[in-house]
Amino acid sequence: GNNRGERTRQVIFFILCVFLCRSAAETLRYSLAEEMERDSFVANITNDLGIAPSQLAARKARVVSEGNEQLFRLNRNTGVLTVKESLDREEICPQSDTCTLFFKIFFENPLQLIRGEVEIRDVNDNSPVFPEKEMVLEILETTPPGSRFPLESAQDKDVGSNGLQNYSLGSNPHFSLALGTGKDGVKHAELVLERQLDREEQRELNLLLTATDGGSPPRSGTAQIRIVVLDANDNIPLFSREVYEVHLAENSPPGQLAVRVTAADPDEGSYGKVRYAFTQTLERARQLFELNPATGEIRVAGNLDFEEAENHKMVVRATDGGGLSAHCKVQVEVLDVNDNAPEIALTSLSASIPEDAPPRTVVALFSVRDRDSGDNGRTECAIDGDLPFSLTPTFDNYYELRTNAALDRERTAEYNITITATDWGMMRLSSQESIFVQISDVNDNPPEFTQEVYTMLVTENNSPMLRIGSVNATDADAGKNARISYALLRQEGKEQPDVSVNSENGDVYILRPLDYEEVRFFEVAVGAADGGTPPLSANVTVRLLVVDENDNAPLVLYPAQDSSPASSELVPMSAEAGYLITKVVAVDADSGQNSWLSYHLLRATDPGLFAVGAQSGEVWLRRPVTDRDAMKQKLVILVRDNGRPPLSATAALSALLLKDFSDVRLPHSSLATEDEGGSLTTYLIISLVFVSLLFLVSISAFVTRKVCKRKELKGEHVLYGTGHLQSGLADAAAAGTLPHPYCYEISLTTGSGNSEFKFLKPMVPSLPPQLSAMGGESSRPEALFLMIGRDPFYSM
């Protein structure tokens, strides 16, 4: 039972030891002698933390000193902590017996903060120094033995054993030295009168006072004490209070009255006149306060700073004209005023964060310090403006700046975050720190084309690799995420068009010449992809319209240019002006104004006899036929389109002027010689009969062909129609260039005994203006009529 209890106590003791060791390890404590050279060794952090030196660089460890000045340097490779400059304890901690510097070891990955402190050990590098090299004491000769006279204390900036330890007085018959230690631990010395003075025997005494510190080796300082023996003065000054306590605000202006000390002396004359002076007062207090030697007023002479010293102690000596003196103490307590604004120290900052960073992402780490005390030193932090960031307090006045909402670089690419730290004083002070955070791009925006559909025009017969336009897409992202490349997309089931797209700038090219008559428009799909990972893309339709070019000359459909001379038009000699002979029919494979046709009389046997309708192609008589006109007339009609430049074709036709149809002759019969006055040989008679028979056979065949063609048309008397034309002519009619079919009717005249024809009678009463003016002439059996209709698709 006893062994089990003993083991239990050992386990509990071991756990407590481990816990205490871990608690102690949270703060690293070191010591360093002052005045060490720069880069002097302080400690090896890795040994004390129990980590490998490589972790310092991997975790981005660094040392941060409290305050604005960085006093230490950390080697990430070795873990050695060194001082940047030589440290002077008296400069760093002038008012403190102990001097401790605080620092923190900061690890970024993962975030960790370790406290540390370095105690600066004092070195005996300062000798005791008296405020004055010579102290003058005026002592009345009647002063009884045993009287004490306080002496100015020496000051040693060192502390502890290196500070002031002892005073010694040179050998003399009248005085000895008494040593004492005040409540504040400061040693002081007093002269003790051992044997009464005799002014008549000796008016002055010179003594050597030596102050020694406890260093090894010790240092010392000396001062001369000059004793002036005065005549008898039986009253000494008397202060109204032994201790004067004063409260002053740290922002008290220079010249402000702190306190007035008064000492009364009932003696008369010079023995009753009191003068005031500081004694046993530190040099810093003498700089901050001034004493009027005549009135005893103590006024502010320097800038009081609560953060530097919270109180100041002074000793005032009042001396009358006879040399008698008294002392009082003045204690000034400095009251804190909110005169220090908070200080923001940035510890860590991310240069940029991606726009898809999740909320609560740490952006920066900083600390806030206020050197005031109480509520004047309490601080709070806030972010100015409505920004997607928030502050999270951690420990030791450290704050984390985090995101609190989703970010969008395309909306805001960078943020200038202003952090305001404010204290809690009555007159609140604040300071600001600006943190610049840049948002890095993420590929979250696909390309967008500037148009929903691109329409581009290309004239037919274009040159290969012709640029006809370009597509353009934009991407709201940045960098490679906004770098766009273009490509032609293949469409399933469709032949790849002869189109190319420049992948860099989106220029569209036609690879081969196009023909408007083959294809008038087509569409392709173009894709745009950005350079992100993974890439985002968009598609657009490009519509290419082929523009017609005047590359097809007119084609004459009627009269056929390969017809025999038997196809000549027959015109009666009785025809009047305006008589319609025929109509030239032509088409043009082009479109638009390139297919607009005009007709012109190019050549004729008698140009004054015929006229041609410029828009209709109708050929009619300009004047009545006379006997002087040649029986056979030849005409050449020029058919020209409206293109630039225009293209043309010619149509050759012939007309026979006949008194009646029995006079019809073949074209070569005009070469026979007519000799009505002479006798005809038998050969000529046989030839004439043969020619007449051949002519009649030709006329019969011609009439029969005309009648057959008329029956094949849609209407009862239609000779030509779109359904009976060649495929090329039907296409021309569909394109709107072929006029209405021409209708002819052939019938014999009543009572005719010589095969006379009534030819080309119009089926529809739509006559040209010339025929409308003929009146009753058109009712004669010999008259020939031609009616030409209009196709609704035919456009002039």
Side-chain angles (χ1 to χ4, degrees):
N2 293 335
N3 292 335
R4 181 177 300 174
E6 183 66 18
R7 290 178 181 176
T8 302
R9 285 193 297 272
Q10 289 177 357
V11 170
I12 295 174
F13 179 76
F14 176 77
I15 293 173
L16 289 176
C17 290
V18 171
F19 176 79
L20 291 175
C21 290
R22 290 185 176 179
S23 300
E26 293 180 357
T27 301
L28 304 176
R29 292 183 174 87
Y30 307 101
S31 64
L32 179 70
E34 68 171 335
E35 302 297 340
M36 295 292 289
E37 296 179 356
R38 61 180 299 177
D39 296 328
S40 294
F41 176 85
V42 177
N44 191 314
I45 300 299
T46 57
N47 295 338
D48 297 334
L49 295 179
I51 61 176
S54 59
Q55 292 189 19
L56 295 178
R59 297 179 62 184
K60 297 181 180 179
R62 66 176 183 272
V63 62
V64 179
S65 301
E66 289 191 358
N68 296 328
E69 185 178 2
Q70 301 297 317
L71 302 176
F72 301 98
R73 180 184 292 112
L74 177 62
N75 188 322
R76 292 184 179 179
N77 296 325
T78 62
V80 174
L81 182 69
T82 58
V83 292
K84 285 188 174 181
E85 301 291 342
S86 178
L87 302 180
D88 187 357
R89 190 202 66 82
E90 289 75 29
E91 181 180 351
I92 299 174
C93 308
Q95 300 292 331
S96 177
D97 292 339
T98 61
C99 185
T100 302
L101 300 180
F102 298 93
F103 67 91
K104 294 180 178 65
I105 302 297
F106 176 77
F107 293 88
E108 287 191 10
N109 185 23
L111 182 64
Q112 184 179 6
L113 200 65
I114 299 176
R115 302 181 183 88
E117 57 187 47
V118 177
E119 180 183 5
I120 307 303
R121 301 192 304 273
D122 184 53
V123 175
N124 190 24
D125 56 345
N126 293 280
S127 300
V129 177
F130 287 93
E132 298 176 355
K133 291 296 183 182
E134 183 181 60
M135 292 180 282
V136 179
L137 296 179
E138 296 179 346
I139 301 177
L140 191 63
E141 63 180 346
T142 58
T143 301
S147 298
R148 293 174 175 263
F149 303 94
L151 301 176
E152 291 285 349
S153 298
Q155 298 178 17
D156 193 335
K157 294 183 179 180
D158 296 325
V159 296
S161 61
N162 295 327
L164 180 65
Q165 297 294 326
N166 195 18
Y167 290 93
S168 61
L169 187 64
S171 177
N172 68 91
H174 293 280
F175 294 92
S176 63
L177 195 64
L179 302 179
T181 302
K183 294 180 180 180
D184 53 0
V186 178
K187 296 182 180 297
H188 58 271
E190 294 179 334
L191 278 180
V192 180
L193 183 62
E194 297 292 339
R195 186 168 66 89
Q196 191 170 3
L197 300 173
D198 187 0
R199 181 178 177 276
E200 287 70 28
E201 179 182 344
Q202 190 175 5
R203 301 181 61 177
E204 283 189 7
L205 287 84
N206 291 311
L207 307 177
L208 181 63
L209 180 63
T210 302
T212 308
D213 62 20
S216 178
R219 292 174 175 265
S220 62
T222 60
Q224 290 289 334
I225 302 177
R226 185 162 61 91
I227 307 297
V228 178
V229 182
L230 302 178
D231 284 337
N233 182 16
D234 55 354
N235 290 288
I236 60 174
L238 182 62
F239 281 98
S240 59
R241 286 184 290 178
E242 291 185 1
V243 178
Y244 291 85
E245 294 182 354
V246 181
H247 300 276
L248 286 178
E250 62 176 326
N251 60 352
S252 298
Q256 178 177 336
L257 178 64
V259 67
R260 180 176 182 177
V261 296
T262 57
D265 192 322
D267 294 328
E268 294 182 354
S270 61
Y271 293 121
K273 188 177 181 180
V274 178
R275 304 284 294 179
Y276 303 93
F278 283 127
T279 184
Q280 299 185 23
T281 302
L282 298 177
E283 183 64 25
R284 182 55 180 164
R286 294 174 184 266
Q287 295 174 357
L288 295 176
F289 299 95
E290 61 180 0
L291 174 63
N292 189 317
T295 62
E297 293 179 347
I298 299 177
R299 295 183 178 272
V300 177
N303 296 322
L304 299 178
D305 190 355
F306 175 83
E307 287 72 37
E308 179 183 343
E310 298 182 9
N311 55 70
H312 299 278
K313 296 180 180 179
M314 295 166 285
V315 177
V316 178
R317 180 179 63 193
T319 306
D320 60 17
L324 298 179
S325 62
H327 301 81
C328 73
K329 295 181 179 180
V330 178
Q331 296 181 354
V332 178
E333 183 178 355
V334 181
L335 302 179
D336 183 42
V337 174
N338 191 23
D339 58 345
N340 291 283
E343 299 174 0
I344 300 175
L346 192 62
T347 303
S348 176
L349 173 64
S350 298
S352 65
I353 56 176
E355 60 179 321
D356 61 349
R360 305 296 298 166
T361 298
V362 178
V363 178
L365 179 67
F366 63 93
S367 62
V368 179
R369 182 176 72 115
D370 194 315
R371 293 188 297 167
D372 295 320
S373 62
D375 287 344
N376 295 332
R378 294 180 61 187
T379 60
E380 60 184 19
C381 289
I383 296 177
D384 296 350
D386 185 14
L387 300 177
F389 298 92
S390 61
L391 294 177
T392 302
T394 55
F395 53 85
D396 286 350
N397 292 327
Y398 274 82
Y399 292 84
E400 289 179 341
L401 177 64
R402 295 175 177 264
T403 61
N404 64 358
L407 304 175
D408 187 359
R409 188 204 66 83
E410 287 70 39
R411 182 180 300 172
T412 306
E414 55 189 21
Y415 291 91
N416 190 2
I417 306 171
T418 301
I419 298 174
T420 302
T422 309
D423 60 26
W424 286 31
M426 292 294 295
M427 298 296 294
R428 306 187 74 173
L429 300 179
S430 63
S431 61
Q432 292 182 335
E433 178 73 20
S434 293
I435 296 178
F436 185 79
V437 177
Q438 192 166 11
I439 309 302
S440 60
D441 184 52
V442 173
N443 190 27
D444 57 350
N445 290 280
E448 292 184 1
F449 283 95
T450 56
Q451 297 177 212
E452 293 182 359
V453 176
Y454 288 86
T455 301
M456 301 179 185
L457 303 179
V458 55
T459 303
E460 65 172 331
N461 303 318
N462 57 282
S463 59
M465 291 305 296
L466 174 67
R467 180 187 179 276
I468 61 172
S470 64
V471 297
N472 183 33
T474 59
D475 197 309
D477 294 320
K480 70 174 184 178
N481 295 331
R483 191 178 300 116
I484 298 176
S485 59
Y486 304 89
L488 192 67
L489 302 181
R490 289 186 173 272
Q491 296 176 313
E492 295 183 3
K494 293 186 179 181
E495 183 181 355
Q496 185 70 10
D498 293 328
V499 177
S500 175
V501 178
N502 190 309
S503 62
E504 295 183 357
N505 55 25
D507 288 346
V508 180
Y509 295 87
I510 295 295
L511 301 181
R512 65 174 181 85
L514 300 178
D515 188 354
Y516 174 82
E517 286 69 38
E518 291 183 3
V519 58
R520 300 192 176 187
F521 77 94
F522 60 92
E523 294 180 349
V524 296
V526 176
D530 58 27
T533 303
L536 301 178
S537 61
N539 301 336
V540 73
T541 299
V542 179
R543 180 175 299 159
L544 293 96
L545 302 180
V546 182
V547 179
D548 182 48
E549 190 178 56
N550 191 26
D551 57 346
N552 291 281
L555 175 64
V556 178
L557 301 179
Y558 181 84
Q561 296 304 294
D562 57 351
S563 63
S564 64
S567 63
S568 300
E569 306 294 337
L570 304 179
V571 181
M573 295 293 290
S574 60
E576 297 293 333
Y579 179 82
L580 180 63
I581 300 172
T582 186
K583 179 174 181 177
V584 177
V585 180
V587 294
D588 195 311
D590 295 320
S591 66
Q593 67 177 7
N594 293 330
S595 65
W596 296 352
L597 302 179
S598 61
Y599 302 85
H600 310 275
L601 183 60
L602 184 62
R603 293 192 305 274
T605 304
D606 186 355
L609 182 59
F610 302 99
V612 179
Q615 305 300 328
S616 64
E618 297 171 345
V619 181
W620 64 82
L621 293 177
R622 185 184 296 274
R623 60 176 175 79
V625 178
T626 64
D627 294 337
R628 294 188 301 271
D629 295 326
M631 181 183 67
K632 185 173 182 179
Q633 298 285 334
K634 291 186 177 181
L635 297 88
V636 177
I637 307 299
L638 177 67
V639 183
R640 184 169 55 199
D641 61 24
N642 198 37
R644 293 292 184 271
L647 301 178
S648 61
T650 58
L653 58 92
S654 62
L656 296 177
L657 307 180
L658 304 175
K659 291 182 180 180
D660 54 46
F661 291 155
S662 63
D663 294 335
V664 175
R665 297 289 187 272
L666 293 175
H668 63 272
S669 66
S670 62
L671 300 175
T673 304
E674 297 182 3
D675 188 2
E676 296 180 357
S679 61
L680 298 177
T681 64
T682 303
Y683 176 76
L684 291 178
I685 294 174
I686 295 173
S687 298
L688 181 59
V689 172
F690 178 76
V691 170
S692 299
L693 291 175
L694 182 61
F695 178 73
L696 291 175
V697 171
S698 299
I699 291 300
S700 300
F702 177 76
V703 171
T704 303
R705 186 181 64 176
K706 295 292 185 179
V707 172
C708 292
K709 287 186 177 180
R710 182 184 64 179
K711 291 180 179 180
E712 292 174 358
L713 297 176
K714 290 182 180 179
E716 182 180 357
H717 302 286
V718 175
L719 183 61
Y720 294 105
T722 57
H724 298 79
L725 296 176
Q726 302 175 13
S727 62
L729 303 183
D731 292 342
T737 61
L738 185 63
H740 266 302
Y742 298 97
C743 304
Y744 303 92
E745 180 181 29
I746 302 173
S747 62
L748 297 176
T749 59
T750 58
S752 175
N754 55 0
S755 300
E756 183 179 0
F757 289 92
K758 182 182 178 182
F759 188 55
L760 302 176
K761 182 179 179 180
M763 296 299 293
V764 181
S766 177
L767 301 178
Q770 296 84 346
L771 297 181
S772 299
M774 292 175 63
E777 295 293 334
S778 62
S779 62
R780 297 192 308 175
E782 308 84 301
L784 302 178
F785 294 91
L786 173 63
M787 183 272 167
I788 302 174
R790 301 283 183 184
D791 185 5
F793 296 98
Y794 181 70
S795 125
M796 295 295 179

